[in-house]
């Protein structure tokens, strides 16, 4: 594990609600400060594995294909969304509001409007009402009815709205996942074909800070709160999707994950030559031999994961056969 305080500083910059001056430079420096000496990628035996080892590639996966249905998902706070709908209603009425009746003062009418829109800041009410007085006559009850109708529609469609936003986010982000640990039994089970696959070791610290890999690689922030785009209204759409893809429910924290994120629909991402390949405890003789041959030809060291006979633990040892 690495300095949690340094990671928190990185996340403070990454998840800032507004990008500050030199945001990318500050983010890169903070990232380099927490980048582990080695990162690892658990892999099953698939048709892509030979290409990965021969050509130093990573095959990217759209977020909707990952094992966590919340991956790159997001939400919109219902009350905030509802208040925006209310503001939209006011805007719709801006050019056809109402005449002030002889027996009513502007203050009386404005107080009624404030009651209806109690959650809308007064400065916004003033801006929205602005020049809308003395237009086509419409009574307060008409405005209330319109608001009630829009509120009912919002309640009915809110879930579909958030779902569609999440699906857009999940179909836009393409990911390759790495971890800080190479001896996690659960991860060998989940991502390396029940220990029949391999774990690939990389040393990204050798890369220039301007490289595409370093720029697109980031640790995952674990949280118990869904990513809410309302909190990031000043960030770009791509920023929001990236931040959603880097937010995971804290039950996954044991994975110590880093993610390489691309917004280009591409299959193969060019990485660097692995520094080692680790064989799972249950890898077949045939698969071990074919992978060993590739590694030998490319000068990639191989290691073997072995079960401890004294405790629940994996030992990783240099052993090619």
């Amino acid at each position: 594990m690495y300095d949690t305080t340094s990671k928190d500083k990185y996340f403070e910059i990454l998840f800032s609600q507004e990008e500050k001056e030199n945001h990318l430079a500050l983010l890169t420096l903070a990232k380099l400060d927490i980048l582990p000496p080695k990162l690892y990628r658990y892999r099953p035996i698939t048709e892509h594995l030979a290409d990965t080892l021969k050509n130093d590639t990573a095959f990217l996966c759209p977020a909707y294909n990952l094992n966590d249905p919340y991956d790159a998902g997001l939400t919109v706070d219902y009350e905030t969304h509802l208040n925006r709908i209310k503001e939209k209603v006011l805007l719709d009425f801006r050019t056809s509001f109402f005449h002030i009746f002889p027996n009513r003062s502007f203050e009386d009418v404005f107080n009624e409007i404030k009651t209806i829109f109690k959650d809308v800041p007064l400065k916004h009410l003033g801006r929205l009402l602005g020049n809308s007085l003395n237009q086509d006559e419409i009574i307060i009850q008409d405005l209330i009815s319109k608001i009630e109708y829009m509120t009912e529609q919002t309640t009915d469609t809110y879930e579909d709205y958030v779902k569609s936003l999440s699906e857009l986010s999940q179909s836009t982000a393409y990911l390759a996942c790495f971890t800080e640990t190479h001896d996690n039994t659960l991860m060998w089970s989940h991502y390396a074909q029940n220990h029949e696959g391999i774990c690939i070791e990389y040393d990204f610290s050798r890369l220039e800070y301007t490289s595409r890999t370093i720029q697109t690689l980031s640790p995952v922030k674990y949280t118990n709160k869904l990513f809410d785009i309302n909190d990031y209204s000043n960030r770009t759409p791509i920023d929001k999707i990236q931040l959603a893809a880097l937010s995971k429910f804290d039950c996954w924290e044991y994975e110590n994950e880093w993610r390489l994120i691309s917004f280009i629909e591409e299959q193969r991402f060019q990485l660097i030559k692995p520094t080692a390949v680790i064989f799972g405890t249950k890898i077949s003789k045939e698969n071990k031999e074919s992978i060993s041959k590739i590694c030998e030809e490319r000068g990639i060291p191989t290691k073997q994961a072995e079960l401890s006979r004294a405790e629940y633990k994996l030992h990783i040892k240099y052993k090619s056969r």
Side-chain angles (χ1 to χ4, degrees), residues 35-39 201-207 272-275:
L35 183 65
K38 301 289 175 61
L39 284 175
E201 177 186 283
Y202 294 96
D203 181 1
F204 293 130
S205 66
R206 299 182 300 170
L207 291 173
I272 58 174
K273 182 179 175 180
T275 49

Side-chain angles (χ1 to χ4, degrees), residues 2 7 59 62 113 119 131 141 163 182 224 240 247 264 273 288 293 299:
Y2 296 87
K7 239 178 201 181
F59 281 77
I113 297 297
D119 297 320
N131 300 321
Q141 188 57 46
K163 182 180 178 182
H182 62 350
N224 59 8
K240 293 174 186 176
S247 303
I264 304 171
K273 182 179 175 180
K288 184 174 180 178
K293 183 178 179 180

Side-chain angles (χ1 to χ4, degrees), residues 280-291:
T281 59
K282 300 189 332 187
I283 192 169
S284 70
K285 181 180 178 180
E286 179 185 3
N287 287 331
K288 184 174 180 178
E289 287 179 349
S290 63
I291 293 171

Side-chain angles (χ1 to χ4, degrees), residues 188-224:
W188 273 103
S189 298
H190 293 163
Y191 306 116
Q193 203 173 324
N194 295 318
H195 297 255
E196 295 178 6
I198 66 173
C199 182
I200 308 174
E201 177 186 283
Y202 294 96
D203 181 1
F204 293 130
S205 66
R206 299 182 300 170
L207 291 173
E208 293 290 334
Y209 73 92
T210 55
S211 71
R212 188 184 177 203
T213 299
I214 294 297
Q215 293 299 322
T216 56
L217 186 68
S218 180
V220 166
K221 180 181 181 181
Y222 297 98
T223 177
N224 59 8

Side-chain angles (χ1 to χ4, degrees), residues 224-255:
N224 59 8
K225 180 184 177 184
L226 275 171
F227 181 79
D228 188 342
I229 60 173
N230 280 326
D231 296 335
Y232 297 90
S233 57
N234 293 321
R235 299 291 293 267
T236 68
I238 288 296
D239 282 347
K240 293 174 186 176
I241 295 172
Q242 180 196 31
L243 296 179
L246 291 173
S247 303
K248 288 198 74 173
F249 185 29
D250 56 17
C251 70
W252 298 95
E253 192 168 5
Y254 71 93
E255 292 189 348

Side-chain angles (χ1 to χ4, degrees), residues 76-93:
V76 177
D77 178 70
Y78 179 75
E79 291 301 323
T80 303
H81 179 64
L82 187 59
N83 287 337
R84 288 178 179 172
I85 294 296
K86 290 179 179 179
E87 287 195 30
K88 174 65 165 57
V89 175
L90 268 181
L91 284 170
D92 289 343
F93 276 78

Side-chain angles (χ1 to χ4, degrees), residues 1 13 89 98 115 120 142 151 171 238-239 265 271 295 298:
M1 294 292 292
I13 299 170
V89 175
F98 56 88
T115 300
V120 179
D142 290 335
T151 301
S171 63
I238 288 296
D239 282 347
E265 191 172 353
L271 292 176
C295 291
R298 300 208 60 219

Side-chain angles (χ1 to χ4, degrees), residues 131-173:
N131 300 321
S132 59
L133 301 176
N134 302 318
Q135 302 293 324
D136 297 336
E137 182 173 316
I138 191 164
I139 59 175
I140 286 285
Q141 188 57 46
D142 290 335
L143 181 58
I144 295 173
S145 297
K146 175 74 171 177
I147 293 167
E148 288 176 347
Y149 172 76
M150 293 294 288
T151 301
E152 289 170 3
Q153 295 300 305
T154 301
T155 302
D156 293 340
T157 62
Y158 171 73
E159 186 172 340
D160 289 338
Y161 170 64
V162 175
K163 182 180 178 182
S164 67
L165 285 178
S166 275
E167 288 175 347
L168 175 62
S169 175
Q170 291 173 325
S171 63
T172 303

